[in-house]
């Protein structure tokens, strides 16, 4: 409790600080650092967190939303263009960091551990006219002749925000699909990545850089290209693994490896069900760890059979919140058990003027209060930061008999002092957890203390 009180004291101090002017246009080497008061670096990496998108609840609810975010320290990611940030370099050498400054201040204000995703690129780097921004072209990659320009922009961002030590290069291979060959253009992406990597390390060798932020597609049936990563949940597209392998062989260096993806297959199926489909996250995490030897980041993860604010074909919209929360909690357990180092929820906040209700938002667009999902992420950050060694839970039926392999109705994750149990069924369940009877309601997520001698 004392740490939370101290955090809110820091928040109040930050909010009263005078905002420094935005740096004048000029070369990257003379970019003025933004002066923001940050909380001390955490002793352990929180592992769990979020990516800010087009809107933030702080714009609508101010201190209330800030308090909701600041209740526990999580990783917070922000893109440099789009997803809530304007064009950072509308003309060559002319920087406008005003909107990005606002987001970085918000991350500092809420005690977040900052990450910046270096995407997307100004129009003039991809064939547009300097001084213009056509947001319909956001997902186009910079042209090869502008890779060095994008690397210089990345260096300028690093100089602007010297407290940010973690950078992701690009987003989901946007603009790097080779239509003629029907596969990802890993050669072009890796060339861009290497130039950005060199530029960031030149700014500060302590900066940690990761890629390739590859979307991990999977198929219920035969994928376009077979692969070695498969399970009851489906098969990963072999073109994904091919692109990752190329990047691993040809990257200049990397401090972590980044992917994203969901449990839903390309055919729109959850196999064998919404909980069994989560095995994809664990299987892919283990493959990446073995293949790369690097910490594995999920820059976006979608455990529900849709995570769209627009709705559409989204069965999860018809589920009760407790079922959505149980699936999300089970996904976090799967990711923790497989050793994922960082997992970021795609925030997707939408103001009420844009959408009535917001079932996938981390902060309510009606009250500004934390959603059950945000509180779940915060509790995982508190009890299961990266490096926490999970300890086994003796989980049996009420009569003490073990459940058949893969048939337990409850999932569990524990460390020395806390455990979390998730009922994966729509009926009440009673189990013995470490020989203690626990009765769980349908889809209930329950946190329990563990005996100190266990």
């Amino acid at each position: 409790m004392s740490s939370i009180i101290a955090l809110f004291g820091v928040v109040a101090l930050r909010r009263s600080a005078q905002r420094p002017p935005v740096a004048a246009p000029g070369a990257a080497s003379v970019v003025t650092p933004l002066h923001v008061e940050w909380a001390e670096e955490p002793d352990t990496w929180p592992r769990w967190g979020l990516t800010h998108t087009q809107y933030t609840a702080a714009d609508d609810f101010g201190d209330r939303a800030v308090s909701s975010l600041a209740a526990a320290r999580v990783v917070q990611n922000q893109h440099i263009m789009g997803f809530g940030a304007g064009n950072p370099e509308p003309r060559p050498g002319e920087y406008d960091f005003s909107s990005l400054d606002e987001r970085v201040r918000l991350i500092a204000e809420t005690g977040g551990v900052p990450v910046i995703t270096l995407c997307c690129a100004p129009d003039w780097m991809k064939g547009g006219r300097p001084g213009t921004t056509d947001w319909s072209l956001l997902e186009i990659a910079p042209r090869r002749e502008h890779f060095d320009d994008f690397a210089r922009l990345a260096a300028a961002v690093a100089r602007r925000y010297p407290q940010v030590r973690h950078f992701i290069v690009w987003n989901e291979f946007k603009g790097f699909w080779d239509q003629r060959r029907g596969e990802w253009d890993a050669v072009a992406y890796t060339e861009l990545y290497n130039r950005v990597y060199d530029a960031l390390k030149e700014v500060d060798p302590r900066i940690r850089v990761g890629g390739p932020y590859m979307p991990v597609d999977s198929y219920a049936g035969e994928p376009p290209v077979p692969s070695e990563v498969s399970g009851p949940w489906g098969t990963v597209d072999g073109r994904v693994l091919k692109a990752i392998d190329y990047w691993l062989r040809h990257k200049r260096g990397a401090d972590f490896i980044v992917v994203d993806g969901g449990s839903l297959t390309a055919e729109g199926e959850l196999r064998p069900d919404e909980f069994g489909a989560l095995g994809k996250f664990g299987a892919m995490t283990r493959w990446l760890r073995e293949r790369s030897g690097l910490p594995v980041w999920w820059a976006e993860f979608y455990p529900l059979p849709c995570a769209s604010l627009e709705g559409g074909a989204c069965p999860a919209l018809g589920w009760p919140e407790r079922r959505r929360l149980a699936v999300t909690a089970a996904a976090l357990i799967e990711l923790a058990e497989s050793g994922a180092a960082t997992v970021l929820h795609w925030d997707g906040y939408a103001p009420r003027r844009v959408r009535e209700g917001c079932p996938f938002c981390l902060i309510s667009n009606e009250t500004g209060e934390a959603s059950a999902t945000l509180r779940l992420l915060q509790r995982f950050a508190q009890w299961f930061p990266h490096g926490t060694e999970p300890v086994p839970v003796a989980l049996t039926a009420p009569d003490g008999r073990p459940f058949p392999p893969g048939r337990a109705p409850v999932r569990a994750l524990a460390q020395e002092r806390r455990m979390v149990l998730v009922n994966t069924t729509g009926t009440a369940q009673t189990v013995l957890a470490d020989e203690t009877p626990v009765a769980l309601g349908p889809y209930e997520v329950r946190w329990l203390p563990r005996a100190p001698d266990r």
Side-chain angles (χ1 to χ4, degrees):
M1 176 64 77
S2 61
S3 61
I4 294 176
I5 294 173
L7 175 59
F8 281 116
V10 174
V11 167
L13 178 62
R14 293 190 191 115
R15 291 183 67 81
S16 65
Q18 184 178 358
R19 295 176 178 176
V22 176
S29 60
V30 295
V31 168
T32 304
L34 179 69
H35 297 291
V36 177
E37 292 189 49
W38 294 86
E40 292 183 5
E41 290 190 22
D43 294 332
T44 55
W45 183 255
R47 185 192 330 228
W48 316 98
L50 61 98
T51 292
H52 292 285
T53 51
Q54 185 173 0
Y55 305 102
T56 74
D59 296 333
D60 294 333
F61 295 98
D63 288 347
R64 194 185 317 164
V66 166
S67 297
S68 296
L69 272 176
R73 198 167 199 189
V74 298
V75 182
Q76 297 186 39
N77 175 39
Q78 174 63 47
H79 291 62
I80 64 169
M81 181 175 174
F83 313 99
N87 190 333
E89 192 178 3
R91 293 181 177 82
E94 181 180 308
Y95 300 113
D96 181 358
F97 293 126
S98 55
S99 59
L100 191 52
D101 285 352
E102 288 297 311
R103 288 298 178 87
V104 171
R105 287 192 184 95
L106 175 64
I107 294 172
E109 200 169 23
T110 53
V113 179
V115 174
I116 285 180
T117 293
L118 297 164
C119 183
C120 296
D123 289 38
W124 60 270
M125 293 188 191
K126 49 199 182 192
R129 290 186 296 110
T132 64
T133 302
D134 183 347
W135 291 106
S136 70
L137 305 178
L138 182 66
E139 297 191 0
I140 294 177
R143 294 182 174 181
R144 255 194 174 92
E145 61 264 29
H146 289 295
F147 282 3
D148 283 335
D149 292 316
F150 188 79
R152 280 190 286 270
L153 172 58
V157 171
R159 289 188 172 94
R160 180 68 175 167
Y161 311 109
Q163 299 92 344
V164 179
R165 294 291 176 81
H166 293 82
F167 289 84
I168 301 173
V169 181
W170 209 242
N171 170 303
E172 288 191 325
F173 263 53
K174 285 178 169 57
F176 287 104
W177 177 257
D178 188 328
Q179 191 68 39
R180 182 179 61 84
R181 301 181 62 178
E183 63 180 23
W184 296 108
D185 189 351
V187 175
Y189 169 80
T190 304
E191 183 180 341
L192 173 68
Y193 173 89
N194 283 339
R195 297 190 192 195
V196 172
Y197 178 90
D198 289 344
L200 291 174
K201 292 292 187 177
E202 186 175 344
V203 171
D204 186 344
R206 296 171 297 176
I207 287 176
R208 297 183 178 273
V209 187
Y213 203 150
M214 167 61 65
V216 180
D217 299 320
S218 58
Y219 290 79
E222 196 68 30
V225 175
S227 81
E228 60 192 277
V229 184
S230 64
W233 44 267
T235 303
V236 170
D237 187 345
R239 295 172 295 187
V240 169
L241 306 188
K242 178 182 177 182
I244 291 173
D245 271 336
Y246 181 89
W247 177 79
L248 286 171
R249 292 196 310 271
H250 297 92
K251 62 179 171 51
R252 192 91 73 224
D255 299 291
F256 52 95
I257 186 169
V258 189
V259 292
D260 82 313
S263 59
L264 202 64
T265 66
E267 298 93 340
E269 298 182 26
L270 287 171
R271 299 188 62 181
D273 55 33
E274 70 267 36
F275 290 97
L278 304 175
K280 170 183 175 179
F281 295 120
M284 192 65 196
T285 298
R286 287 186 287 270
W287 184 87
L288 290 165
R289 292 181 67 194
E290 292 170 4
R291 203 72 153 202
S292 70
L294 295 169
V296 176
W297 285 34
W298 287 83
E300 305 169 38
F301 81 109
Y302 299 101
L304 302 175
C306 135
S308 168
L309 292 173
E310 289 73 33
C314 184
L317 281 174
W319 294 356
E321 183 184 49
R322 65 179 181 274
R323 183 177 177 186
R324 294 196 295 263
L325 191 69
V327 173
T328 302
L332 301 187
I333 290 174
E334 180 76 27
L335 287 158
E337 288 180 336
S338 58
T342 302
V343 179
L344 302 179
H345 187 284
W346 191 260
D347 182 13
Y349 174 80
R352 293 189 69 184
R353 67 181 183 276
V354 174
R355 179 183 172 87
E356 286 291 330
C358 192
F360 297 120
C361 286
L362 293 183
I363 294 180
S364 167
N365 67 355
E366 296 179 349
T367 66
E369 301 295 331
S371 71
T373 302
L374 177 56
R375 291 194 296 271
L376 182 72
L377 288 169
Q378 290 171 333
R379 293 200 78 169
F380 267 81
Q382 177 185 4
W383 294 111
F384 296 100
H386 182 54
T388 301
E389 193 67 36
V391 296
V393 179
L395 201 64
T396 64
D399 60 6
R401 288 184 298 176
F403 293 107
R407 299 292 298 277
V410 172
R411 291 204 66 166
L413 181 69
Q415 48 106 296
E416 289 183 354
R417 292 186 294 153
R418 282 291 185 279
M419 76 168 72
V420 58
L421 303 178
V422 181
N423 182 355
T424 65
T425 75
T427 59
Q429 299 288 335
T430 297
V431 297
L432 295 181
D434 289 341
E435 301 180 353
T436 300
V438 181
L440 297 168
Y443 299 119
E444 183 180 354
V445 178
R446 176 89 63 85
W447 291 84
L448 296 169
R450 297 188 81 242
D453 58 343
R454 288 192 181 276

